[in-house]
Amino acid sequence: METVQLSCSHSIKDYFMILWYQQLEEELNLIAYVYYNSPTVESQFKNGFSVQGNGAKYSALNITTKDFGSTMTFYCAASKAHLLWFLISGQSLSDKVHQTPSEILVQTRGPEKLICVHTIPDFDMISWYVQLKSDTALSLIGYVRYTYSSTVDEYKDRFNVMGNGAKNSTLDFKPNVTGSSVTYYCAASEA
């Protein structure tokens, strides 16, 4: 058995939670989080993971496994209320990725949209995710890489993803979209 430790820190005032995600194909799964000084590992990940830290400052994710033969991608995020800023390689990029409006409560009868803008050199992709209120997973809605946009098949009847991944993207809601309470996130990355 081997153990690897990943570290994440931030200095964002009034952010009190650090979350850890593992990317599996088209979704991000919440592994664990630290809320203030209270660490929590999701039940399905308790055998291979532990977490520690203070959500207002730093967190460490410990990964224990017999086999590190496959490639795994992990992300940490700092959070306050409904806002989520992705931290890449331990560096906070929250001042360079902005989603507007940060919160929106609508019954979609007409066109509505969310806008994501970033100013990160060499990042040419913006991805949009949805999280159901009762679920820990983030599901990919679609992405824009440079000017090429793609929407996952199951969401094509509800959303349009457009823009230029090197600077901005919009998530357009098609009219008469219905559903339960959900949270939407954008993330900027290298393709």
Side-chain angles (χ1 to χ4, degrees), residues 77-131:
S79 177
K80 174 187 177 184
H82 297 293
L83 300 178
L84 188 81
W85 303 111
F86 280 82
L87 307 176
I88 309 297
S89 301
Q91 299 175 333
S92 172
L93 301 176
S94 63
D95 61 331
K96 297 180 181 176
V97 181
H98 304 281
Q99 179 177 315
T100 56
S102 59
E103 295 180 40
I104 186 170
L105 178 62
V106 295
Q107 266 188 319
T108 310
R109 292 191 177 93
E112 297 288 345
K113 68 180 172 182
L114 295 174
I115 301 167
C116 186
V117 177
H118 76 85
T119 58
I120 305 168
D122 301 325
F123 276 32
D124 53 19
M125 187 168 173
I126 296 175
S127 302
W128 288 97
Y129 295 91
V130 62
Q131 182 179 31

Side-chain angles (χ1 to χ4, degrees), residues 10-180:
H10 72 87
S11 57
I12 305 169
K13 184 181 177 185
D14 299 327
Y15 276 38
F16 47 82
M17 188 175 209
I18 295 178
L19 305 98
W20 288 96
Y21 293 91
Q22 180 181 30
Q23 184 173 0
L24 298 171
E25 296 179 14
E26 294 180 343
E27 65 182 30
L28 292 176
N29 290 305
L30 178 64
I31 298 169
Y33 58 90
V34 179
Y35 177 73
Y36 288 104
N37 289 318
S38 299
T40 301
V41 177
E42 294 297 306
S43 58
Q44 68 268 33
F45 295 105
K46 287 193 178 202
N47 288 335
F49 298 90
S50 65
V51 67
Q52 61 196 53
N54 179 332
K57 299 175 184 175
Y58 71 93
S59 178
L61 179 70
N62 300 301
I63 307 163
T64 304
T65 184
K66 294 177 184 176
D67 179 22
F68 280 103
S70 60
T71 301
M72 293 182 258
T73 304
F74 296 94
Y75 296 98
C76 71
S79 177
K80 174 187 177 184
H82 297 293
L83 300 178
L84 188 81
W85 303 111
F86 280 82
L87 307 176
I88 309 297
S89 301
Q91 299 175 333
S92 172
L93 301 176
S94 63
D95 61 331
K96 297 180 181 176
V97 181
H98 304 281
Q99 179 177 315
T100 56
S102 59
E103 295 180 40
I104 186 170
L105 178 62
V106 295
Q107 266 188 319
T108 310
R109 292 191 177 93
E112 297 288 345
K113 68 180 172 182
L114 295 174
I115 301 167
C116 186
V117 177
H118 76 85
T119 58
I120 305 168
D122 301 325
F123 276 32
D124 53 19
M125 187 168 173
I126 296 175
S127 302
W128 288 97
Y129 295 91
V130 62
Q131 182 179 31
L132 300 177
K133 186 176 181 179
S134 61
D135 198 353
T136 59
L138 294 180
S139 296
L140 179 67
I141 295 170
Y143 63 90
V144 58
R145 181 173 184 234
Y146 295 106
T147 57
Y148 172 78
S149 63
S150 177
T151 305
V152 175
D153 287 342
E154 76 176 275
Y155 295 112
K156 284 186 177 180
D157 61 337
R158 295 185 274 172
F159 304 101
N160 283 327
V161 176
M162 298 180 292
N164 180 335
K167 51 187 173 182
N168 61 56
S169 177
T170 59
L171 178 66
D172 292 322
F173 296 71
K174 293 185 177 178
N176 298 315
V177 170
T178 60
S180 58

